[in-house]
Amino acid sequence: MIKHSRQVIFWAIVFIFLNLLFGLKWSNYLDSFYFASMLMPVAVATSYFFNLFLVPQYLEAKRHFWFVLYTFYTVVVSVFLSGLIAMAAFVFLTDFNWNRMSPVAGDILQLGVIIYFVAILFSFIRVYRSNLERDARIAALEEANQKNLLQTITVRSNREAVSISVDDILYIESLADYVKINTLTGVVITKEKISGLEKMLPEWFIRIHRSYLVNKNKVEAFGHDYVKVQAQQLPVGRKYKKEALERINNNKELTS
């Protein structure tokens, strides 16, 4: 949804830019609006064809000859369509009066350059966003790897720093103003937030409820609305149910 919204905003900005460009040269923003409206489908189609087909199919696949060839064909088709649009503007918007034509709208080469400027700009934005998303994924993987290597956590309990082995933790329960960390050797009570512990612990700790965080490796059984850890049945919240049970299930059938 966010991705589509950004694309709509991008093309709205392009449309406004074309209106201003032709309007300043035309001194008639109504005609500029009509001309930009006719030109936009060519700009959009060229941009998407170039970026979503030619680039991944040929450039990224290192089929450079075919990329150059089909890009040339695309340029020819785009310029041809721009010429038809310029001709339509000459007929319908200026009543065959060449002096009323915008200098930009009447120059087919300039129209081709404008369309490919938009296509390249669209490509630059896509590459920039892809790089940001890739960097975010790499950072998330590095963070997950660091968390998975974690062997102990240290929490404050009774005004002391208590070290707890990660593998010993069974589940964590959040109560009114404190948290109970249930381990193989007992219970540690701390004022740490369960959300903070969730961020700290490895990925096999799963939030099943706003008040419960469980060690997936310690789950003995589970159903549609509960998990069982050492005979202790813990509720699964509706908000967390789908993701939690999918991760715990790990391709096993749900128990009845």
Side-chain angles (χ1 to χ4, degrees), residues 164-182:
I164 305 171
S165 172
V166 170
D167 290 334
D168 287 346
I169 298 175
L170 300 173
Y171 64 92
I172 298 171
E173 180 181 4
S174 176
L175 298 172
D177 57 352
Y178 63 94
V179 165
K180 291 170 62 177
I181 302 176
N182 295 269

Side-chain angles (χ1 to χ4, degrees), residues 163-212:
S163 181
I164 305 171
S165 172
V166 170
D167 290 334
D168 287 346
I169 298 175
L170 300 173
Y171 64 92
I172 298 171
E173 180 181 4
S174 176
L175 298 172
D177 57 352
Y178 63 94
V179 165
K180 291 170 62 177
I181 302 176
N182 295 269
T183 74
L184 292 172
T185 57
V187 178
V188 177
I189 296 177
T190 177
K191 289 189 176 294
E192 299 277 354
K193 298 291 186 182
I194 192 171
S195 56
L197 293 172
E198 181 183 9
K199 293 177 181 178
M200 183 190 307
L201 290 165
E203 61 184 7
W204 56 83
F205 282 83
I206 301 173
R207 191 74 172 267
I208 62 168
H209 190 278
R210 65 186 182 89
S211 300
Y212 289 96

